[in-house]
Amino acid sequence: MPDDETQTPTLNRGLAARTPHDDTRAQQLPGAADAPAPWLLRLIAVGLVLAALNLRPAITSLGALLEEVREGLHMSGSLAGVLTSVPPLCFAVFGVMAPRLARRFGAGAVVCAGMAAIAVGLVVRPYIGSTAGFLAASALALMGIAVSNILMPVIVKRWFPDRVGTMTGLYSMALALGTALAAAVTVPVTGALGGNWQAGLGVWAVLAAVAVLPWIVLVRDRTPAPGTPAPSGTSAAEAPGLRITRSRTAWGLACFFGLQATAAYITMGWMPQIFRDAGVSAGTAGLLLAVTMAMGVPLAFVIPRVASRLKQQGPIVVVLGLCGLIGYGGLYLAPAAGAWAWALLLGVANCAFPLALTMIGMRARSGAGVVRLSAFAQSTGYLLSIPGPLLVGVLYQHSGGWGLPIALMAGLMIPQMVAGILAGRDRTIEDEC
């Protein structure tokens, strides 16, 4: 994807040769004028929201029906742990491809293809009839989620450079809403469909198909967003030449992203089962997961706005981490008696995700720098998060209870806070590289 700075001279030279007819067309075509048409920005905002709604139902709908899927496909606890580790694995493997695909085809086209992949994967995986096929179809859907995950901050930076906090909060709120919705209604919908878990999982393909539509308009867009000149002192070649692995901030952000992802995927994949094993009904366990995810709806809008106004985001990192520690402690001591309180606290802790996305946008000066940082932090972070859900499944199966897995979850909050404080310092990757 071409960066904003390299296109600025070309746009300026073209201004002198424009005719009135060209100016009329410029307000209609993406990327053709200094100020994008209002309808285009509204369409992109709608597309961001619809895309974000589809970035987690593939995972939380499975978590709500994990026991039924295990029985239907004859999975062991360890194999189910592998299944819950597939999302971060796919995000790490496929997410790194997103910048190259965006440069070649355009970010809008890649997100459009991503939504289509989600729809196809979700409609195929419940009916394929084998564990290997289920994993392969899940990987297809997760591939679409992975590239879209990476490109969300990039699209915000390109089209809404003066509203990064607000737009990040908007799509983070939509992401949390989609996550909570899938957790809350998958079990009731499955019951309404005759108790058929295949139909209960497959129905989420409809939402993904709807999300394809707004992005069709941007399929042929290859230009950077208009009206985003190069920041003062940043050359066009600076971001592509960055050795991002030399940046402590980039590594801190990658570790913070990976540890919060570990907590999130353990929660989405295993928390309903923890409550069910404590005597909570399947429907209530799904609602508890929905409450955890729903906490992100208001907080995912508030936290990025607050974070973008602070020079350092470390205090927010610490507050979220302490909520996680208390929540895991309660889950260990009284999982059923205090279930709603623990769900709320863990929901607050899970809002480390929108905070991480906000910091990605703040820790680079240029659009190209954000692309590099987003790909590095998310791909490396998801790679680091792969062992967590798998290890929880192994510990659960071999220890016969949830004591050791919950202790692991709580212990990981400490390095998460340390990495978040490092990533939240007031500096950019360009300064360090």
Side-chain angles (χ1 to χ4, degrees):
M1 182 177 63
D3 61 277
D4 299 344
E5 295 76 24
T6 58
Q7 297 295 318
T8 302
T10 303
L11 289 173
N12 289 338
R13 288 195 300 269
L15 289 175
R18 276 192 190 147
T19 66
H21 177 66
D22 294 331
D23 291 335
T24 301
R25 293 183 68 237
Q27 295 300 320
Q28 299 171 344
L29 297 175
D34 288 338
W39 68 266
L40 179 59
L41 292 180
R42 287 194 291 268
L43 183 66
I44 294 170
V46 170
L48 282 168
V49 169
L50 287 175
L53 284 171
N54 284 279
L55 294 182
R56 294 298 180 270
I59 303 166
T60 51
S61 62
L62 177 59
L65 295 175
L66 185 59
E67 186 171 317
E68 288 75 11
V69 173
R70 284 176 59 192
E71 292 175 356
L73 297 178
H74 309 292
M75 289 185 184
S76 66
S78 297
L79 190 55
V82 172
L83 185 60
T84 57
S85 292
V86 168
L89 173 62
C90 289
F91 293 168
V93 172
F94 298 120
V96 75
M97 300 164 50
R100 182 175 298 178
L101 291 172
R103 284 194 299 269
R104 182 170 181 179
F105 300 106
V110 176
V111 175
C112 185
M115 294 299 109
I118 295 170
V120 173
L122 291 185
V123 80
V124 168
R125 74 173 181 175
Y127 299 102
I128 205 162
S130 68
T131 299
F134 190 95
L135 288 170
S138 294
L140 175 62
L142 292 165
M143 177 179 65
I145 295 172
V147 295
S148 300
N149 261 335
I150 297 295
L151 294 179
M152 291 292 102
V154 176
I155 289 169
V156 168
K157 186 78 170 182
R158 288 179 64 200
W159 293 99
F160 306 94
D162 57 340
R163 287 178 282 170
V164 171
T166 298
M167 295 307 297
T168 300
L170 180 64
Y171 82 74
S172 297
M173 185 170 62
L175 188 151
L177 180 61
T179 307
L181 187 66
V185 307
T186 296
V187 171
V189 166
T190 301
L193 295 173
N196 187 316
W197 64 265
Q198 290 96 334
L201 290 181
V203 72
W204 294 103
V206 177
L207 183 61
V210 173
V212 173
L213 302 178
W215 296 100
I216 293 175
V217 175
L218 292 177
V219 162
R220 301 182 66 181
D221 175 37
R222 300 291 187 275
T223 60
T228 51
S232 175
T234 304
S235 68
E238 180 179 354
L242 285 176
R243 292 192 175 185
I244 200 167
T245 54
R246 292 185 175 182
S247 169
R248 292 183 180 181
T249 297
W251 278 108
L253 192 49
C255 292
F256 178 67
F257 197 97
L259 289 165
Q260 67 80 28
T262 299
Y265 291 109
I266 289 174
T267 298
M268 288 186 280
W270 288 108
M271 198 172 86
Q273 193 63 49
I274 294 174
F275 286 125
R276 290 177 74 168
D277 287 351
V280 177
S281 68
T284 302
L287 285 175
L288 287 164
L289 178 59
V291 167
T292 299
M293 299 298 108
M295 288 301 296
V297 176
L299 292 179
F301 190 73
V302 172
I303 288 176
R305 291 171 65 89
V306 174
S308 64
R309 290 182 171 92
L310 298 175
K311 287 188 175 182
Q312 300 194 36
Q313 290 72 46
I316 303 177
V317 170
V318 172
V319 170
L320 298 181
L322 291 176
C323 287
L325 286 173
I326 297 170
Y328 287 129
L331 204 58
Y332 178 84
L333 295 172
W340 295 101
W342 317 141
L344 287 169
L345 286 167
L346 292 174
V348 174
N350 276 346
C351 288
F353 176 73
L355 177 61
L357 294 181
T358 305
M359 288 195 289
I360 287 174
M362 297 178 68
R363 297 285 93 89
R365 290 200 302 266
S366 66
V370 173
V371 173
R372 296 284 301 277
L373 182 57
S374 180
F376 176 77
Q378 294 199 50
S379 296
T380 305
Y382 283 126
L383 188 65
L384 292 173
S385 71
I386 291 170
L390 175 60
L391 185 56
V392 166
V394 172
L395 289 175
Y396 171 58
Q397 178 170 337
H398 292 283
S399 69
W402 286 107
L404 285 177
I406 291 173
L408 171 67
M409 299 178 212
L412 291 176
M413 295 304 300
I414 305 300
Q416 178 179 318
M417 287 190 281
V418 173
I421 292 170
L422 177 64
R425 295 176 300 168
D426 183 20
R427 58 191 65 193
T428 64
I429 58 171
E430 289 89 351
D431 296 331
E432 296 181 334
C433 297

